[in-house]
Amino acid sequence: MRYERQVKKKKRKWKVFLLIILLLVVGAISYSYFQYKQGVSQSLDKVDNQTIVQEEYEFNGEKDRYGGTNVLLLGSDSRGEEQSRADTIMVARYHPDTGSYKLISIMRDTYVEIPGHGENRINTAFALGGPELLRETIKENFDLDIQYYAIVDFQGFVHLVDEAFPKGVKIDVEKKMSENIGVTLEPGVQYLDGEHLLGYVRFRHDAIGDFGRVERQQKVVKQIGSQLTSIQTIPKLPKLVGVVTPFINTNMDTGDMLYIGKDFLSKENRNIDSLRIPVDHSWEDATIKGASVLSIDLEENKTAIHDFLVEQKSPIE
């Protein structure tokens, strides 16, 4: 009898324990959903509840040969407009096995073959056929597979920065900047809010033009990643995803974004390696059909990409 009472007592303890775990899980899910919806509502309020039309794109991407997840990141300065410009072209790479994060920036004036449309600047592919044609262009020229796309309106970037960093993002501004960016930036170390940080990454009216802009874009991505370590961001992650959702057009579902974001924020080593295409000494300025372009050595840049992405494991057969 005593043995049976002990068994029943242990069973009751396990039931109580499992019930507590279940309640915690349900509570966490409910809290995350509430935070996510709050972020969405907050962004819509900031744009006066105007309707944000998000076009659905066909995208036939897949994981790369090394098992990594590549996301085509496109920065756009217009919503709901035809022929919107892809001013920023990046490929963000996450490898779930090694937990590594890498970033490739492709110069928008890179002269390449666009499938079905002949040779042109690479950002023309987006205007001609959306993210799918740009994916095909990158695959054909650089043999790089991309699984997802995310088109981020610049205002979404501003709201995300302001929500994640109420005091601003610490940046060392290297020179005075003002031309065609809507704000004036003075040189020196300072904390920039979303609007001023956007101006910083868009500035290109100096001697190095787009090369300087791409360098600043990568610098800001790394700074944001680094400064996320100093705040309690994981509990805010669902809200941050909600804040940017109205301004992002992507084939990633919310769960994918939360998973990759949570994995990044929970790691001690959040280093982001970066690469610019074209790489140094592999390009030259050219004028083709009256347009200034970057004529590149395709094989050298293709090799640079694969050397950059390869992990310490064999390719998937």
Side-chain angles (χ1 to χ4, degrees):
M1 292 294 292
R2 179 179 298 176
Y3 174 76
E4 291 179 356
R5 285 197 298 271
Q6 289 177 340
V7 170
K8 289 181 179 179
K9 189 174 181 180
K10 288 182 179 179
K11 286 183 177 179
R12 283 197 299 270
K13 287 182 178 179
W14 271 108
K15 287 180 179 179
V16 171
F17 176 74
L18 291 175
L19 179 60
I20 291 173
I21 294 297
L22 179 61
L23 290 174
L24 289 174
V25 170
V26 172
I29 294 174
S30 299
Y31 174 78
S32 296
Y33 180 74
F34 172 76
Q35 289 289 304
Y36 169 77
K37 298 298 290 185
Q38 188 180 49
V40 172
S41 177
Q42 182 173 307
S43 278
L44 292 177
D45 288 342
K46 289 183 178 180
V47 293
D48 299 323
N49 291 314
Q50 63 184 3
T51 300
I52 300 175
V53 179
Q54 292 191 346
E55 181 178 352
E56 292 187 9
Y57 293 102
E58 175 187 4
F59 199 78
N60 302 311
E62 57 187 32
K63 285 189 174 184
D64 70 26
R65 67 179 68 182
Y66 302 106
T69 298
N70 296 324
V71 183
L72 179 61
L73 298 178
L74 303 174
S76 171
D77 60 358
S78 59
R79 290 193 307 273
E81 297 178 9
E82 296 183 358
Q83 302 296 314
S84 59
R85 296 180 297 157
D87 280 350
T88 300
I89 302 174
M90 293 181 171
V91 178
R93 199 288 190 97
Y94 167 67
H95 201 294
D97 293 343
T98 62
S100 63
Y101 295 83
K102 298 186 177 183
L103 187 68
I104 301 172
S105 294
I106 303 177
M107 303 284 292
R108 64 179 187 171
D109 291 337
T110 301
Y111 199 67
V112 295
E113 180 73 26
I114 299 176
H117 297 275
E119 294 181 316
N120 211 324
R121 292 169 172 163
I122 194 167
N123 71 336
T124 305
F126 180 73
L128 292 172
E132 171 60 14
L133 182 57
L134 184 51
R135 181 198 67 79
E136 293 174 6
T137 301
I138 293 172
K139 173 64 176 176
E140 177 169 311
N141 289 273
F142 302 111
D143 193 24
L144 176 61
D145 288 305
I146 300 173
Q147 187 173 5
Y148 299 111
Y149 72 87
I151 307 169
V152 182
D153 184 89
F154 288 144
Q155 286 306 307
F157 173 82
V158 170
H159 295 323
L160 182 64
V161 168
D162 288 343
E163 178 62 33
F165 303 95
K167 296 181 180 179
V169 175
K170 188 177 181 180
I171 291 289
D172 186 359
V173 179
E174 59 269 25
K175 65 183 72 176
K176 183 173 181 177
M177 304 176 185
S178 61
E179 190 173 352
N180 292 340
I181 60 174
V183 295
T184 297
L185 300 173
E186 299 294 339
V189 177
Q190 53 202 284
Y191 287 86
L192 301 181
D193 62 14
E195 183 180 6
H196 287 79
L197 193 62
L198 176 61
Y200 179 74
V201 299
R202 297 193 70 187
F203 179 78
R204 63 186 180 93
H205 293 278
D206 58 9
I208 55 177
D210 268 346
F211 283 91
R213 182 170 69 165
V214 167
E215 183 178 336
R216 283 186 288 275
Q217 289 171 352
Q218 293 188 343
K219 174 182 174 181
V220 165
V221 170
K222 292 180 180 181
Q223 281 292 96
I224 288 177
S226 174
Q227 292 176 40
L228 284 172
T229 65
S230 63
I231 60 177
Q232 298 297 318
T233 310
I234 292 180
K236 295 178 65 176
L237 184 58
K239 186 176 182 180
L240 296 179
V241 172
V243 165
V244 77
T245 292
F247 299 95
I248 188 171
N249 187 325
T250 181
N251 62 336
M252 295 182 70
D253 60 36
T254 304
D256 290 330
M257 289 188 284
L258 288 171
Y259 171 75
I260 294 176
K262 183 178 181 298
D263 199 31
F264 175 76
L265 295 173
S266 62
K267 290 183 178 299
E268 292 183 3
N269 183 3
R270 299 175 178 86
N271 290 334
I272 301 175
D273 295 327
S274 60
L275 177 73
R276 187 205 68 219
I277 298 296
V279 295
D280 290 340
H281 312 300
S282 71
W283 62 275
E284 60 182 20
D285 288 316
T287 301
I288 301 177
K289 297 178 182 179
S292 297
V293 301
L294 298 176
S295 178
I296 72 169
D297 183 325
L298 276 176
E299 288 304 315
E300 183 174 348
N301 282 280
K302 185 189 301 184
T303 299
I305 288 175
H306 287 278
D307 288 346
F308 176 69
L309 292 181
V310 68
E311 304 284 344
Q312 293 183 347
K313 60 176 292 185
S314 299
I316 295 176
E317 300 295 338

